[in-house]
Amino acid sequence: MSSSPTLPSPGQWPPRRPSKRSKMRNGTFIDPATGERSRRVLTLHSHNSGLSSQTDGTRSRSHSDLTIFPHDEAYSDRISIFARNTREKCAWILRWLDSPVGHGVLKCTLAYTIGSLATFWAPISDWLGRPDGKHVVATLTVYFHPARSAGSMIEAVLIAIVAVAYAEAVSILSMATSVLVGGQWNVVPLAHALVLAVFIGGGFGFIGWVKQRMGNPLVDVGSTLASLAIIGVVTKETAVLTGVFSNQKIVQILKMFFLGVSATTAVNLLVWRVSATSLLRETMTKSSTSLGDMLALITGGFLSGSEEDVTSGEFAAASAAYNRVYPQMIKNLRESKFERYLQGEEKLYQLDRAVVRSMERLAQSIGGLRSAANTQFALLRESMMATSGMMSPAASVYSPVLQRTLSNTLKSGKGFGILSAIDEASDESNEDERGRVKDRRRSDATTASIPFRNSSDIFELFINLLGPSTKSLAYTLAEVLRDPPFGIAPDYEITVNDHYRQSLTDALALFNAARADALQELYKHIELDRTRSASIQADFEEVAAACGHFSFSLQAFGEEMQKYLDVLDDLKFANEHRLRSWHWMQWWGNRRGYNNRKITLPFDNSEREPMIKPIKKSRMPRGIADSMVQRRDTYAWSAVPGTNRVIATLSQKLLRVLRQVARDDIRFGLKVGAGAAFWAMFAFIPQTKDTYRHWRGEWGLLSFMIVCSMTVGASNTTGWARFMGTLAGITASGINWTITQGSALALIPLGALVAFWAFVVIVAWGKAPLGRITLLAYNVSTLYAYSLSQKVDDDDDDEGGSNPIIGEILLHRFVAVTAGILWGLIICRLVWPISARRKFKEGMSMLYLQMGLIWKRGPLAILLRSDCSRSYLRSGEQAALQKYAARLDALRGSATNEFELRGPFPAQQSARLMACAHRLLDAFYAMSLVTQTKGNLTEGERALLMYTADERAQLCERICHVFQVMASSLMLEYPLTDAVPSVDSTRDRLLAKIFQFRKEHNPSVVMDHSSSSNAGSGSIGSSGLGMGGLGKLSHLNVGERDYALLYAYALVTGQVSEELKVVAKEIEGLFGVLDEDALLLQ
């Protein structure tokens, strides 16, 4: 049965086009698993969307059963309910203990118990020697706990070896200096000064510099271990103070290191071993599934014309899942490198890294696809607003510059009408359905002469033409992504279906053919009605360009998927034909051999410009760029004439040296070294050394080293965790010692309970500083007290000697730790403070300024200059921008913990500014997708680009100008004026120039102008074409699709403009607005 068009009523204007989307036919789609073509009903939504609600309901019912006791129940019934709840709780605990997190906590508890035997078990304790401090073995199992992958354990062991070797070197050299200068030369004050300045100040300063430079949590742990070892020899033992060389403590540290690392490594590898490679493949599967869900929802929203899919909780959950899994995937990739390299599988690691890079590019394409969909939603909003006030055909024709009905994209507003819902047709494999398709096509031809009422009609026609193919391609892509590329645990064998590659190729071929036909049909329908005004015509073509923009973005995503499958095939082949090699051990070789062994990836293009230097994930944004600082340091010498060149040269060299010294990492190392030396000097001054030893100043020095962090906010967080952890640790120590009265058999299980709770905090809750400090405080109290009871060599008379006074021990530890925390906060806050707030502010300014400079290159102008061989986004630039933004997000978290008299950090406003930055980056990438699809420019596109060169240059400059205004306001914290330059007017001039080109190229318009004079001729940039050169335009082969590139550019600039308005509004909310009545001169 065919549908016939409904003709408009006589008094109705504009006539309503019949909705063609009430029932969208099923297009031919490729079943990715088999490669077969089918025409059955399909859906883009995932099949497990209802699980969450069901789970929530079950959880709520279970919670109700566990907590509610009916008042009218008998006592026996209450007992039975209590017993049932207890059984359920016990079953939940057992399930949790059998989970990966539970396994990690149990492994850590086991390793800690083994490490504590170095204090409690006499044979091991005697082997370690008479000096105290044997609790360091248990502390090593805490800091390098076994709840990590094998690759992370390898890295931890390597870092621990380097840390202990460094600590031993500093200890031996400090002792040798003390013996030589103090003992042989008999200059004790000089010996102590050298030890303080060189080995404590310099040694701890170097630890601080490495800690900041590396930005690795394991390096932070290694720095704590090195500090603990150095403190135990240099400031606590008497050998350095008295100028006597003794290797007793040095040998004991080596033994303790061997025992602690051996215990934690053995537990890690022998008990519930976890592979970083397996974790990597698990996170890859989760990331792939999240990307597939986001792709399906974005495409579904585009097809329905509604933002509900993109703003739904399902999309938010998929996006949050990817954002949560992505850092874990990067972490697992790094840890798997140690496993792969140790096993001689360097090539497999390179391919794993290639898969991760390919997923990053897919995520970028998802951002570009969402940006294209947002363009459609914005145009539909404006269409519905314009429809309510639309005028009749007798109304005057508006100027394309002053009166625009649809040009301002992305206006805020909710509650707009959406397109009619899509009802999927039944299987079209029978003859009746094929007849209906033919009738529908005849119906399309009949209704083509009916004018469009608004842009919704254009979208309806486009979706009717390309909707089935779009949905079919999205279905194929989403199903490929949702199908796990790796098998089940623990092997995670690569299980990529061999049909996927060909299925995706066929699906893309079908989509490309349908897209070309749909766009041609769409522009033909637009051309049929020439009675509408030029501005309305341009608006409709802007909508058509939005349709083409989304289709090209979806095609680009499909092409990235092909590269992703290529890399998976390479990984599968290499995994089946493993060839082991250990070329990485040839560290003495040059980089040429490594570069020759590197794998060429499908998305690497050697002919393009060199890749932008990537931003290290562990490096903090440095704020103001070096080039800007250099110009600021040299402009005065260049501006003032007649300066002495010798003085200028010497001044510039001295300034460059000072600038290097003033780097954040150098200053951080200097202040850490100075603070440590100032604290440790009380151990060498005769009048204060007894007080230092009585109050256990070495633990205050260790607290200082732990608290000192790069930013003030991080120091505040660590200091508070250190304080609370110390309270918890000494409380547990006092309770356990009081209960057991120093019995080793009782202290071992009670210590295991304390360790279990602490590792729940570390592993399950993710609060590593709090849990580590709790156990450290427990060790230096309980295990130290037990060592005193065993009559170790220590000056312990003030704490009870062989009969330890636990109250004195706890008090000394609490006072020392608290004083060290306060000293660390004072140093970090008052001496060269590095504020996360300031770093975030400067980083945001640099990010916005960089985006402005990138846009100033001209996304379309560069196509003319390079003949479509280059993109305005350089290779690796998008990834670098996104990584920089991710680091700013981390800084924003640290800034919330910084307290200032001006008030708390505006976290919500900063989060909205970062959200704007991410949307702008998506728009930038969407524009790059538009330009990347241009293998060459047609004659009409080239003429249009040359004709609009001046307007596009002005638009790029205006956008760059607004970016710079926003960046400057953020940097200076100055209010904006109420006269911020508008991008819309410049963008409208570009659109007006496109209208002018259309009029000049239209043959009927050319005939009208040929009889008139050359009045009204205008400049067209470098092309030389204008109103006076209409004869040159008449022979150009300019089709409607030639306008799509410029209109897509206009759409993206509209998005950028609207996001900049949001940024300006947020800045105005933070810093205010200056008007003409503001009084500034005071």
Side-chain angles (χ1 to χ4, degrees):
M1 182 179 64
S2 62
S3 60
S4 60
T6 303
L7 296 178
S9 59
Q12 178 185 2
W13 193 95
R16 176 62 180 167
R17 292 178 58 89
S19 176
K20 301 176 183 179
R21 307 180 67 238
S22 60
K23 180 169 288 189
M24 185 177 70
R25 67 183 186 276
N26 291 317
T28 301
F29 77 96
I30 307 297
D31 188 346
T34 61
E36 297 178 353
R37 302 191 179 195
S38 179
R39 298 178 70 88
R40 61 177 174 82
V41 177
L42 55 91
T43 178
L44 293 176
H45 289 270
S46 179
H47 299 288
N48 56 357
S49 59
L51 292 178
S52 58
S53 60
Q54 183 179 0
T55 304
D56 294 340
T58 304
R59 186 183 298 113
S60 62
R61 289 192 300 271
S62 300
H63 181 73
S64 177
D65 293 341
L66 291 174
T67 57
I68 296 178
F69 291 97
H71 294 286
D72 56 352
E73 290 286 347
Y75 182 76
S76 59
D77 294 335
R78 294 186 181 185
I79 293 295
S80 62
I81 293 175
F82 177 78
R84 184 185 62 188
N85 293 342
T86 303
R87 288 194 301 270
E88 292 179 356
K89 282 289 187 181
C90 293
W92 179 86
I93 292 174
L94 291 176
R95 288 194 302 270
W96 181 82
L97 290 176
D98 196 35
S99 66
V101 176
H103 289 173
V105 173
L106 292 177
K107 288 168 64 174
C108 293
T109 305
L110 176 61
Y112 175 83
T113 304
I114 295 174
S116 65
L117 294 179
T119 301
F120 294 123
W121 195 25
I124 301 179
S125 178
D126 294 340
W127 181 69
L128 291 177
R130 298 297 300 169
D132 69 332
K134 301 169 186 178
H135 56 81
V136 173
V137 179
T139 302
L140 276 169
T141 63
V142 175
Y143 277 86
F144 296 96
H145 62 76
R148 62 181 78 244
S149 66
S152 179
M153 195 72 242
I154 295 172
E155 182 184 12
V157 171
L158 294 176
I159 290 176
I161 291 174
V162 173
V164 171
Y166 174 77
E168 295 290 81
V170 172
S171 301
I172 292 173
L173 291 175
S174 64
M175 199 176 298
T177 301
S178 179
V179 171
L180 176 63
V181 180
Q184 299 295 326
W185 298 351
N186 201 23
V187 188
V188 177
L190 179 60
H192 290 173
L194 288 175
V195 170
L196 280 173
V198 178
F199 300 106
I200 295 181
F204 284 3
F206 180 76
I207 290 175
W209 177 81
V210 171
K211 181 179 178 180
Q212 189 279 331
R213 189 72 175 177
M214 300 298 292
N216 186 344
L218 276 178
V219 174
D220 295 347
V221 172
S223 67
T224 302
L225 174 61
S227 302
L228 180 62
I230 294 174
I231 291 170
V233 175
V234 178
T235 65
K236 188 173 184 295
E237 298 300 317
T238 59
V240 176
L241 297 175
T242 57
V244 177
F245 191 91
S246 173
N247 64 351
Q248 187 178 20
K249 189 65 178 180
I250 295 175
V251 173
Q252 186 192 47
I253 289 176
L254 290 176
K255 291 180 178 179
M256 290 188 297
F257 166 76
F258 172 77
L259 287 179
V261 172
S262 298
T264 188
T265 304
V267 173
N268 174 269
L269 298 179
L270 300 179
V271 181
W272 292 314
R273 180 180 177 181
V274 178
S275 171
T277 304
S278 299
L279 293 178
L280 173 62
R281 294 188 171 180
E282 180 182 356
T283 51
M284 284 179 178
T285 300
K286 293 180 180 179
S287 299
S288 177
T289 303
S290 300
L291 291 175
D293 292 340
M294 286 191 286
L295 170 67
L297 291 169
I298 292 173
T299 308
F302 177 82
L303 293 176
S304 65
S306 171
E307 289 181 286
E308 292 181 358
D309 285 337
V310 181
T311 58
S312 64
E314 189 178 356
F315 183 86
S319 178
Y322 178 80
N323 293 332
R324 182 175 59 253
V325 170
Y326 175 74
Q328 298 176 2
M329 183 170 62
I330 298 300
K331 174 177 174 290
N332 294 332
L333 175 66
R334 185 177 185 276
E335 294 173 358
S336 68
K337 181 177 182 179
F338 293 92
E339 295 180 7
R340 294 291 197 189
Y341 276 42
L342 186 63
Q343 296 171 0
E345 297 174 348
E346 181 180 0
K347 184 177 180 180
L348 287 177
Y349 165 74
Q350 293 180 8
L351 289 171
D352 284 338
R353 183 170 176 266
V355 173
V356 173
R357 287 181 57 190
S358 184
M359 285 188 170
E360 290 176 345
R361 294 174 69 91
L362 288 175
Q364 294 172 6
S365 298
I366 286 287
L369 197 65
R370 183 178 181 182
S371 176
N374 287 337
T375 302
Q376 181 219 28
F377 302 146
L379 292 177
L380 287 178
R381 281 198 297 265
E382 295 195 3
S383 172
M384 302 309 298
M385 289 187 292
T387 302
S388 60
M390 184 170 287
M391 303 178 65
S392 65
S396 59
V397 179
Y398 290 130
S399 167
V401 177
L402 300 178
Q403 300 295 334
R404 298 277 295 139
T405 57
L406 297 173
S407 62
N408 297 324
T409 59
L410 288 179
K411 286 184 178 177
S412 60
K414 297 181 181 179
F416 61 93
I418 63 174
L419 302 183
S420 55
I422 300 175
D423 296 329
E424 295 161 354
S426 60
D427 198 328
E428 296 183 357
S429 60
N430 53 64
E431 294 294 334
D432 295 338
E433 188 60 34
R434 283 197 289 267
R436 286 197 294 268
V437 174
K438 295 179 181 179
D439 292 340
R440 186 181 296 113
R441 291 176 179 173
R442 287 196 296 268
S443 173
D444 294 343
T446 303
T447 58
S449 59
I450 302 177
F452 291 117
R453 181 172 179 266
N454 51 37
S455 58
S456 297
D457 296 336
I458 302 176
F459 276 116
E460 288 185 5
L461 177 60
F462 180 78
I463 297 303
N464 185 65
L465 294 171
L466 191 61
S469 298
T470 302
K471 188 175 183 180
S472 300
L473 177 60
Y475 173 81
T476 302
L477 293 171
E479 288 303 308
V480 172
L481 286 171
R482 287 167 175 168
D483 186 30
F486 304 99
I488 60 176
D491 297 328
Y492 289 102
E493 294 293 335
I494 304 174
T495 58
V496 180
N497 194 314
D498 295 333
H499 295 287
Y500 281 170
R501 186 66 175 82
Q502 187 60 42
S503 298
L504 183 56
T505 302
D506 294 341
L508 277 174
L510 289 174
F511 176 77
N512 291 335
R515 188 196 66 226
D517 295 339
L519 291 177
Q520 182 178 3
E521 188 74 14
L522 182 65
Y523 283 115
K524 184 175 69 174
H525 284 201
I526 294 177
E527 284 181 329
L528 289 176
D529 184 12
R530 291 296 185 178
T531 60
R532 64 176 70 97
S533 65
S535 60
I536 299 298
Q537 177 74 10
D539 290 333
F540 286 173
E541 289 174 0
E542 188 176 20
V543 174
C547 297
H549 181 30
F550 184 88
S551 63
F552 279 116
S553 300
L554 185 60
Q555 177 195 0
F557 186 89
E559 293 171 351
E560 289 295 336
M561 274 291 297
Q562 288 181 316
K563 300 173 183 177
Y564 168 68
L565 291 178
D566 287 341
V567 176
L568 282 178
D569 288 339
D570 293 342
L571 178 61
K572 182 178 181 180
F573 179 82
N575 190 62
E576 294 172 351
H577 304 81
R578 299 192 181 190
L579 296 177
R580 301 185 184 274
S581 63
W582 289 266
H583 296 294
W584 58 272
M585 299 184 68
Q586 300 176 355
W587 53 269
W588 57 87
N590 54 24
R591 298 288 299 176
R592 182 179 302 175
Y594 172 77
N595 292 331
N596 292 335
R597 294 191 303 272
K598 286 182 64 176
I599 299 174
T600 302
L601 305 176
F603 41 79
D604 288 338
N605 189 352
S606 59
E607 297 180 358
R608 296 181 63 179
E609 65 273 11
M611 184 174 178
I612 297 296
K613 184 178 180 181
I615 297 176
K616 292 184 177 180
K617 304 176 187 65
S618 60
R619 182 171 294 179
M620 178 184 299
R622 296 177 59 180
I624 303 176
D626 292 338
S627 59
M628 297 174 63
V629 175
Q630 183 179 4
R631 179 59 184 171
R632 191 170 59 183
D633 292 342
T634 58
Y635 78 92
W637 292 105
S638 304
V640 179
T643 56
N644 190 315
R645 302 311 303 171
V646 176
I647 296 178
T649 302
L650 293 177
S651 299
Q652 288 299 299
K653 289 183 177 180
L654 178 60
L655 183 59
R656 281 195 293 269
V657 173
L658 294 177
R659 285 293 184 193
Q660 289 295 322
V661 176
R663 281 167 35 194
D664 288 338
D665 53 345
I666 300 296
R667 289 192 299 173
F668 181 74
L670 289 175
K671 72 179 183 181
V672 168
F678 184 84
W679 182 279
M681 73 178 183
F682 296 106
F684 294 86
I685 299 175
Q687 292 81 4
T688 59
K689 65 180 181 179
D690 292 336
T691 304
Y692 183 91
R693 293 177 62 82
H694 175 74
W695 290 100
R696 298 311 187 259
E698 63 271 11
W699 298 115
L701 181 56
L702 181 62
S703 297
F704 166 79
M705 291 298 298
I706 294 175
V707 167
C708 280
S709 300
M710 185 61 186
T711 63
V712 176
S715 298
N716 292 338
T717 303
T718 307
W720 180 252
R722 174 79 173 163
F723 179 77
M724 297 303 297
T726 301
L727 282 179
I730 63 175
T731 301
S733 176
I735 294 174
N736 286 0
W737 190 268
T738 303
I739 293 175
T740 62
Q741 294 298 314
S743 172
L745 294 178
L747 283 174
I748 291 175
L750 290 179
L753 290 177
V754 175
F756 181 85
W757 178 86
F759 284 118
V760 168
V761 175
I762 296 173
V763 179
W765 296 359
K767 298 180 179 179
L770 177 61
R772 284 199 299 255
I773 299 305
T774 299
L775 278 181
L776 179 61
Y778 181 84
N779 292 341
V780 300
S781 302
T782 306
L783 302 189
Y784 174 78
Y786 184 82
S787 296
L788 292 183
S789 66
Q790 303 304 306
K791 299 180 181 181
V792 297
D793 293 340
D794 188 26
D795 185 10
D796 51 22
D797 294 336
D798 57 340
E799 293 181 340
S802 58
N803 296 311
I805 305 175
I806 192 65
E808 288 292 324
I809 294 175
L810 299 180
L811 177 63
H812 293 167
R813 301 307 180 272
F814 177 76
V815 171
V817 168
T818 303
I821 292 173
L822 294 176
W823 180 240
L825 294 178
I826 290 172
I827 291 295
C828 290
R829 181 67 183 177
L830 300 182
V831 181
W832 292 322
I834 303 174
S835 172
R837 289 189 179 195
R838 182 176 62 84
K839 285 291 183 183
F840 177 79
K841 176 188 67 177
E842 294 177 352
M844 280 293 294
S845 300
M846 292 298 104
L847 179 61
Y848 279 111
L849 185 57
Q850 183 69 73
M851 286 193 288
L853 294 175
I854 290 174
W855 195 267
K856 189 176 180 295
R857 298 169 188 167
L860 300 185
I862 201 169
L863 294 180
L864 277 176
R865 293 195 298 266
S866 65
D867 196 19
C868 297
S869 62
R870 293 172 55 194
S871 173
Y872 83 106
L873 269 181
R874 297 172 184 169
S875 178
E877 202 163 35
Q878 178 74 13
L881 289 170
Q882 290 182 335
K883 289 176 182 178
Y884 192 88
R887 294 300 300 158
L888 288 179
D889 278 326
L891 271 179
R892 182 168 55 86
S894 298
T896 56
N897 297 313
E898 291 184 357
F899 307 101
E900 293 184 358
L901 296 178
R902 298 191 303 169
F905 178 73
Q908 295 182 355
Q909 294 87 340
S910 300
R912 290 194 292 267
L913 285 173
M914 286 303 304
C916 289
H918 286 294
R919 289 194 295 268
L920 284 168
L921 290 177
D922 288 343
F924 274 45
Y925 191 74
M927 190 67 236
S928 71
L929 292 179
V930 174
T931 57
Q932 286 174 7
T933 58
K934 302 303 296 181
N936 59 325
L937 294 174
T938 65
E939 184 182 4
E941 288 174 336
R942 188 176 297 275
L944 265 168
L945 292 181
M946 296 176 67
Y947 191 85
T948 59
D950 290 343
E951 286 72 22
R952 285 185 294 101
Q954 293 172 10
L955 182 57
C956 289
E957 291 170 357
R958 176 60 59 87
I959 291 177
C960 179
H961 183 198
V962 177
F963 267 115
Q964 187 176 16
V965 170
M966 301 303 159
S968 301
S969 180
L970 284 171
M971 176 71 74
L972 301 174
E973 297 184 352
Y974 280 4
L976 293 172
T977 66
D978 53 1
V980 176
S982 174
V983 177
D984 293 338
S985 59
T986 309
R987 179 171 172 268
D988 284 341
R989 283 197 293 270
L990 170 64
L991 293 170
K993 198 61 178 291
I994 300 174
F995 307 155
Q996 182 181 352
F997 181 89
R998 180 183 300 280
K999 291 180 180 179
E1000 295 174 359
H1001 182 260
N1002 192 321
S1004 60
V1005 178
V1006 174
M1007 293 297 295
D1008 293 338
H1009 283 279
S1010 62
S1011 59
S1012 62
S1013 62
N1014 291 335
S1017 61
S1019 173
I1020 53 155
S1022 60
S1023 66
L1025 300 175
M1027 295 293 288
L1030 296 176
K1032 297 181 180 179
L1033 282 176
S1034 59
H1035 76 278
L1036 291 177
N1037 183 21
V1038 182
E1040 291 298 332
R1041 280 184 290 181
D1042 294 330
Y1043 293 91
L1045 181 62
L1046 268 174
Y1047 279 124
Y1049 172 75
L1051 290 171
V1052 177
T1053 54
Q1055 278 189 294
V1056 173
S1057 173
E1058 290 301 323
E1059 289 299 334
L1060 288 175
K1061 291 178 183 178
V1062 177
V1063 173
K1065 186 177 180 180
E1066 292 294 338
I1067 294 177
E1068 291 173 359
L1070 288 173
F1071 309 132
V1073 182
L1074 289 176
D1075 55 20
E1076 62 274 10
D1077 297 327
L1079 298 177
L1080 304 179
L1081 303 180
Q1082 299 178 358

